[in-house]
Amino acid sequence: MNLKILMVEDDNSVAEMMGMFFKKEGWEQDIAADGVEAVDMFKKDVDKYDLITLDLNLPKKDGIQVAKEVRAISPTVPIIMLTARGSESDQVLGLGIGADEYVTKPFSPIALIARIKALHRRVMMEEKPSLPQETKQDYEIETEHLKISKSRREVLFDGQPVTDLTPKEFDLLYTMAQKPKQVFSRDQLLELVWGYEYYGEERTVDAHIKKLRQKLEKVGAKVIQTVWGVGYKFDDSQAK
């Protein structure tokens, strides 16, 4: 696994420490010391980096704004947010604007590396090319209004494409759409979508569901329902 990581971090000691651990893994690292520099570096070559680690508290432009601007350029580049802030509201905000993971400082370098590897594995699995025999009409999931191709990362609602889904948003939709009307608890979705190596808060699910709904509803797809006190379900039987 050869990774090129953009670390956005204004604390030199943290950046140098992680650089040593990344080097042991055979990974390359570029460092941006403030938010403006981070966005400029990413804009220069959007395909250069396999993953971004992003501090929340940054000079010139904070991590929330950086994440928004990066997501406007690339809806899929993995982002792990690193911050000393540990409040639930900060976590929901960070995940809600497009971060894939959230790690609170102080953190274990080994744990962060494990999180990076797990996230990269999921991204690589999601980006595997379609099999040669697959045709444009093949969809793994077809409901009354929705069609989903996991291999092509394609979602159609009544023939309209649902665009700019992040990997986690796509996986949430795919997981729930496999079993329409079944209610999934937040714990179940954390386990199914994030995996056993993810130790996140239940609000992580809420933040991603909120963004997923917004993107679905752009094409009129009100198909994710909240079951109060339990969790969420997919149901497009009353979508139109």
Side-chain angles (χ1 to χ4, degrees):
M1 182 187 294
N2 296 317
L3 300 183
K4 182 73 172 183
I5 297 172
L6 174 59
M7 171 166 264
V8 188
E9 175 60 65
D10 64 329
D11 187 327
N12 289 334
S13 61
V14 172
E16 291 175 1
M17 175 188 67
M18 290 311 306
M20 291 187 293
F21 280 89
F22 291 165
K23 187 175 181 180
K24 289 180 180 179
E25 296 291 332
W27 302 346
E28 296 181 56
Q29 171 186 272
D30 286 343
I31 300 172
D34 62 65
V36 173
E37 184 181 17
V39 174
D40 288 344
M41 289 174 66
F42 187 72
K43 281 181 177 178
K44 285 181 182 178
D45 187 353
V46 297
D47 297 319
K48 181 177 181 180
Y49 298 106
D50 299 298
L51 184 140
I52 298 173
T53 63
L54 177 61
D55 189 25
L56 186 59
N57 295 314
L58 293 167
K60 297 185 180 181
K61 186 177 291 185
D62 67 21
I64 296 298
Q65 186 60 38
V66 172
K68 287 181 179 178
E69 293 186 32
V70 167
R71 275 286 168 257
I73 300 167
S74 170
T76 58
V77 63
I79 299 174
I80 296 181
M81 190 161 279
L82 310 176
T83 179
R85 299 182 190 175
S87 73
E88 185 177 89
S89 60
D90 286 326
Q91 294 182 32
V92 171
L93 178 60
L95 294 165
I97 52 85
D100 296 285
E101 304 279 8
Y102 191 106
V103 177
T104 303
K105 295 179 179 178
F107 57 84
S108 160
I110 294 174
L112 177 59
I113 286 174
R115 190 76 62 84
I116 289 172
K117 288 180 177 179
L119 179 56
H120 183 68
R121 280 197 302 269
R122 292 197 294 270
V123 171
M124 293 304 295
M125 289 177 66
E126 290 157 0
E127 292 180 351
K128 282 184 178 179
S130 304
L131 295 175
Q133 64 269 29
E134 184 181 41
T135 66
K136 186 68 175 177
Q137 289 71 40
D138 290 334
Y139 294 92
E140 289 89 345
I141 294 177
E142 293 192 47
T143 66
E144 186 173 350
H145 296 278
L146 206 73
K147 293 183 179 181
I148 304 178
S149 169
K150 189 171 186 179
S151 55
R152 295 193 302 274
R153 311 297 290 178
E154 182 178 270
V155 179
L156 299 177
F157 178 76
D158 287 341
Q160 299 181 76
V162 180
T163 59
D164 295 335
L165 294 182
T166 66
K168 286 294 183 299
E169 291 163 1
F170 181 94
D171 290 344
L172 276 169
L173 179 60
Y174 188 88
T175 297
M176 291 188 287
Q178 284 181 298
K179 298 181 179 180
K181 300 184 180 181
Q182 175 175 317
V183 180
F184 292 87
S185 70
R186 293 175 178 84
D187 282 339
Q188 286 176 315
L189 291 172
L190 275 174
E191 179 179 324
L192 292 168
V193 175
W194 278 263
Y196 285 105
E197 62 267 281
Y198 186 78
Y199 300 96
E201 299 290 338
E202 290 184 350
R203 292 296 179 185
T204 298
V205 176
D206 295 339
H208 282 80
I209 288 286
K210 180 180 178 180
K211 298 295 288 187
L212 173 60
R213 277 177 168 156
Q214 290 172 349
K215 294 175 183 180
L216 287 167
E217 289 175 7
K218 285 182 180 179
V219 296
K222 296 183 178 181
V223 296
I224 305 297
Q225 299 179 6
T226 299
V227 181
W228 297 107
V230 183
Y232 299 99
K233 67 177 180 179
F234 170 89
D235 184 1
D236 69 340
S237 62
Q238 303 296 321
K240 285 196 174 182

